[in-house]
Amino acid sequence: MKRKWTTIALIVLLIVVMILAAGIGAMRIAPQQVVAILLHQAGIQLPVGYDEGMANVLLQIRLPRVIMGMLVGTGLAISGVAMQGLFRNPLADPGLIGISSGASLCAVLVIVLISSLPVLHIDSLLPRYYLLNLITFIGACATSLIVFRLSRIGGKTLLATLLLAGLALNALCRAMTDLITFVANDEQLRNATFWTMGSLGGATWTVVFTLLPFIAIPVLLLPRLAKSLNAFALGEQEAAYLGINVKKLKTLIVILATLSVGACVAVAGIIGFVGLIVPHIIRGITGNDHRSLLVNSALFGASLLTLADVVSRTIIAPAELPIGIVTAVLGTPVFIMLLLKQKKQLRSLA
Amino acid sequence: MTITAHHISYWIGQQPILHKLSFTIGPGEVTVVLGQNGAGKSSFLKILSGEQKPTIGQVMLDNHDLHKTPLPQLATMRAVLSQQYAMGLAFSCAEIVMMGRYPHYRSHPSADDHRIVMESMEEMQVQHLVQRPYQALSGGEQQRVQMARVLAQLRDPVSRMPGSTRKLLLLDEPTSSMDVLYQQLCLSKARALSRQGYTVVVILHDLNLAAQFADTILLLKRGCLIKSGKAREVLKPSSIAEAYGMEVEVLEPENYDFPVLVPASHAIQPALIRS
């Protein structure tokens, strides 16, 4: 019962956040105007006044950005839940097995190469942007493939090795990224920070539609694995005793997490902490049952990232603060507060 | 279900763990596996569970190769209680017991599943712990909750009468953290299920619990089956001395239909003659 109400509350929260976030910015659009413009698209007229410019800003600039924020937040949150389920540890993070650092290494590499090698110089901005997305995504898949391969012995995936291989590859990718930024010039460096600190600045409808399948597939498939993920918490072997094909489960989870995190990093750079904090908060409210945890984390992740983006684009307007900084700065105190609260609960239990 | 094997061996790498075991484990009785630490008891149970395949030979479940039975099908007729559980994520006790019903439903548990969970918890006397987080329980309580989960896994919903008796219950030291009362409760439950037609295999360390509850005993030593048969035939000072390297006396108290084993009185000082 509590779970159902939490889900409903989170849906309401998401709608409110979406309407507010779409209205906030250099041109203010009141919530009722946002609703009126959106309903007008669906053919319903509301007696609320707005001008064409307002509608254009909302539909062409704000809305893709808000929706992209929701998609990225959802993707990061559910892949966080999936990774934590896989490692049977609430502290696991999608970045843990090197997905995001591999992706950002590739992005930074491309940025520096494009501007230093005339052969690769593509004049128009748009193809260059998509090329970058594609290569970043390939980087994410490649690193997670290497890490996954390293941890397979005789057809079995050893989770401890997976974790260690991920840590090692993470360190390597970070170091190489640092090396490249060390030799990069100012302009390259600014472009590179986009990928290492994250931004939703690249939002367009095309990006939104490109990102959509990569988020939608994990969102639709992961809840089907909820039972398996729960059983997995008992232990790998116990899950097998309950009839679960553990080998397939592990492969599937790594693939789904890589899909969504890889796609998120490719369009928005590295945004830390979301995959860790969102599931953590939801676990505190409705427990660890993945049936509700996945859905609720997806909803809450969407709201949280959209809000973080509002902060990132308004706090030092007209400039933008990288959203990764916002999630880290706002996320850490919340996280520590939660830890302290849980510590108190544990003490009262004991 | 009857489990049969003929000359199966099991190796981990170059290390022989089980050597040429032949046995028949029948339904309707409690089969207890005894032996020293490291004698291969847990490996033996892992082979019976389908988790590990024997390196040589095959294990037959009735007339089918156990290791070719699909996992989901196996999960509805075979349940395993392991020695230890390291729960990484916190679940409530009811959620854990419900996991035993996972092989039986797709996405949402039926009313039957909920009822079976409650009944299993009552059977193991953990019904008062329903909403408690599993991690907050004592070792013995955790073991009872896991036992309830295992019982729930094998239960058939009453609506589907008559319930299938093709069930295999495998328990690896189920009573290791329980107090004396719950040890009795747990093994009585196992015996009651065997009388309903379940095939029950239990690993035990306590020879007296084995004497009380076992119908058949398999005695392992360094991966070999050194003795098997009716409990009374196996629990003899000579076989215990051979398996454990310890001298015991077998007492027959009046009014009891099972023997009691105590360390041999002349050997109480250095009770251990292990070599």
Side-chain angles (χ1 to χ4, degrees):
Chain A
M1 221 39 218
K2 188 181 174 190
R3 282 173 187 159
K4 213 173 255 169
W5 284 111
T6 311
T7 308
I8 293 170
L10 286 171
I11 292 174
V12 173
L13 174 73
L14 182 58
I15 294 170
V16 171
V17 164
M18 191 185 138
I19 293 171
L20 287 180
I24 296 172
M27 177 192 268
R28 283 206 158 270
I29 309 173
Q32 64 270 24
Q33 288 172 318
V34 173
V35 175
I37 296 170
L38 289 180
L39 287 180
H40 178 74
Q41 292 304 111
I44 304 166
Q45 302 290 348
L46 283 191
V48 180
Y50 59 87
D51 57 59
E52 272 313 298
M54 218 178 237
N56 278 334
V57 167
L58 181 74
L59 293 175
Q60 297 311 318
I61 299 172
R62 296 276 171 76
L63 212 54
R65 184 157 182 159
V66 167
I67 291 175
M68 182 166 140
M70 285 163 48
L71 289 177
V72 170
T74 298
L76 293 176
I78 54 158
S79 49
V81 175
M83 278 293 151
Q84 287 145 19
L86 181 68
F87 288 106
R88 308 198 287 129
N89 188 328
L91 295 177
D93 184 84
L96 211 61
I97 59 168
I99 308 175
S100 28
S101 54
S104 73
L105 170 63
C106 284
V108 172
L109 202 63
V110 172
I111 290 169
V112 173
L113 278 183
I114 280 182
S115 54
S116 9
L117 295 176
V119 191
L120 284 171
H121 213 93
I122 305 167
D123 273 330
S124 83
L125 202 65
L126 214 58
R128 200 160 85 181
Y129 180 71
Y130 289 131
L131 178 73
L132 211 50
N133 290 157
L134 185 71
I135 288 174
T136 310
F137 184 66
I138 292 171
C141 297
T143 21
S144 92
L145 195 72
I146 293 171
V147 170
F148 199 52
R149 280 271 149 211
L150 280 176
S151 60
R152 276 177 93 85
I153 295 166
K156 273 191 171 174
T157 311
L158 299 179
L159 288 180
T161 319
L162 187 67
L163 196 66
L164 290 174
L167 284 176
L169 231 67
N170 246 333
L172 182 68
C173 290
R174 291 264 161 83
M176 282 164 70
T177 312
D178 287 347
L179 177 71
I180 296 167
T181 47
F182 185 68
V183 298
N185 62 33
D186 275 357
E187 190 215 333
Q188 291 168 340
L189 206 58
R190 240 191 315 282
N191 278 328
T193 51
F194 171 90
W195 252 272
T196 51
M197 294 184 210
S199 163
L200 297 182
T204 61
W205 282 118
T206 324
V207 173
V208 166
F209 287 120
T210 319
L211 181 61
L212 188 64
F214 293 102
I215 307 299
I217 292 171
V219 164
L220 293 177
L221 288 186
L222 279 173
R224 285 163 191 260
L225 300 178
K227 244 173 43 172
S228 307
L229 280 168
N230 284 349
F232 208 69
L234 284 173
E236 280 188 50
Q237 203 41 62
E238 318 313 319
Y241 291 148
L242 290 169
I244 288 149
N245 186 338
V246 172
K247 216 165 98 184
K248 204 173 108 192
L249 179 76
K250 286 195 273 195
T251 313
L252 204 55
I253 286 179
V254 170
I255 290 175
L256 291 175
T258 306
L259 271 186
S260 69
V261 175
C264 289
V265 178
V267 299
I270 295 185
I271 303 177
F273 253 148
V274 179
L276 192 64
I277 289 182
V278 170
H280 191 84
I281 292 174
I282 300 295
R283 282 176 210 280
I285 302 170
T286 53
N288 278 316
D289 188 344
H290 288 85
R291 262 192 306 164
S292 56
L293 180 60
L294 280 162
V295 177
N296 290 343
S297 297
L299 289 168
F300 190 52
S303 304
L304 204 73
L305 204 78
T306 311
L307 277 178
D309 183 48
V310 170
V311 174
S312 97
R313 62 191 162 88
T314 53
I315 197 164
I316 50 166
E320 271 186 28
L321 197 65
I323 189 169
I325 296 179
V326 179
T327 53
V329 168
L330 293 182
T332 317
V334 174
F335 196 66
I336 289 174
M337 227 167 64
L338 280 170
L339 286 183
L340 290 178
K341 206 178 124 194
Q342 275 176 356
K343 219 167 79 178
K344 217 184 266 173
Q345 272 173 357
L346 276 181
R347 204 175 290 156
S348 68
L349 262 176
Chain B
M1 279 190 291
T2 306
I3 312 170
T4 46
H6 184 67
H7 279 330
I8 56 162
S9 295
Y10 176 57
W11 295 60
I12 296 178
Q14 294 300 307
Q15 183 96 18
I17 306 294
L18 296 172
H19 184 66
K20 286 192 177 169
L21 303 191
S22 300
F23 53 87
T24 302
I25 297 172
E29 54 176 33
V30 176
T31 303
V32 169
V33 183
L34 294 177
Q36 277 182 330
N37 297 131
K41 301 187 295 294
S42 290
S43 299
F44 178 72
L45 208 72
K46 279 181 184 166
I47 286 181
L48 295 189
S49 74
E51 174 189 347
Q52 297 293 342
K53 240 179 155 156
T55 318
I56 303 165
Q58 54 179 191
V59 181
M60 304 299 285
L61 204 55
D62 289 339
N63 292 315
H64 301 280
D65 186 343
L66 166 69
H67 294 88
K68 286 191 179 129
T69 314
L71 278 183
Q73 190 195 335
L74 207 52
T76 59
M77 53 190 201
R78 176 276 282 121
V80 188
L81 183 75
S82 303
Q83 270 183 53
Q84 278 170 347
Y85 293 90
M87 294 290 297
L89 304 169
F91 282 91
S92 75
C93 293
E95 282 172 330
I96 293 209
V97 179
M98 184 53 93
M99 289 177 191
R101 297 306 297 166
Y102 281 0
H104 302 270
Y105 68 85
R106 271 183 100 71
S107 65
H108 290 281
S110 67
D112 259 341
D113 293 319
H114 282 293
R115 183 181 50 75
I116 288 171
V117 165
M118 277 318 294
E119 283 173 6
S120 304
M121 292 189 86
E122 277 162 24
E123 275 170 21
M124 289 318 293
Q125 300 190 9
V126 284
Q127 68 275 25
H128 57 291
L129 302 174
V130 171
Q131 291 306 328
R132 287 275 294 280
Y134 177 79
Q135 263 102 338
L137 306 184
S138 75
E141 286 171 326
Q142 290 188 342
Q143 224 166 15
R144 274 149 61 206
V145 170
Q146 294 290 359
M147 181 75 183
R149 175 180 64 81
V150 166
L151 295 181
Q153 187 182 344
L154 289 184
R155 203 70 96 63
D156 282 313
V158 177
S159 52
R160 214 197 309 148
M161 286 286 274
S164 162
T165 51
R166 279 172 46 83
K167 303 284 181 186
L168 172 59
L169 181 62
L170 303 172
L171 308 172
D172 193 349
E173 293 182 39
T175 56
S176 57
S177 308
M178 293 182 188
D179 64 39
V180 279
L181 174 68
Y182 290 116
Q183 289 180 351
Q184 294 288 322
L185 174 80
C186 174
L187 291 172
S188 305
K189 188 65 211 167
R191 177 153 66 187
L193 289 171
S194 79
R195 299 302 183 257
Q196 288 172 29
Y198 283 36
T199 306
V200 180
V201 182
V202 190
I203 293 178
L204 286 178
H205 274 306
D206 187 329
L207 296 179
N208 287 313
L209 284 176
Q212 187 186 348
F213 289 99
D215 297 303
T216 303
I217 290 178
L218 303 177
L219 194 55
L220 288 176
K221 187 185 186 185
R222 293 200 200 113
C224 296
L225 190 55
I226 57 168
K227 200 141 173 92
S228 66
K230 291 280 157 228
R232 224 171 252 280
E233 292 162 24
V234 177
L235 292 175
K236 295 222 165 104
S238 58
S239 2
I240 299 301
E242 192 188 345
Y244 291 93
M246 175 178 169
E247 287 182 48
V248 294
E249 272 179 44
V250 180
L251 310 177
E252 294 281 353
E254 264 178 66
N255 304 328
Y256 283 85
D257 58 357
F258 54 87
V260 174
L261 285 81
V262 293
S265 57
H266 67 85
I268 278 185
Q269 250 315 313
L272 297 170
I273 54 165
R274 256 181 209 180
S275 49

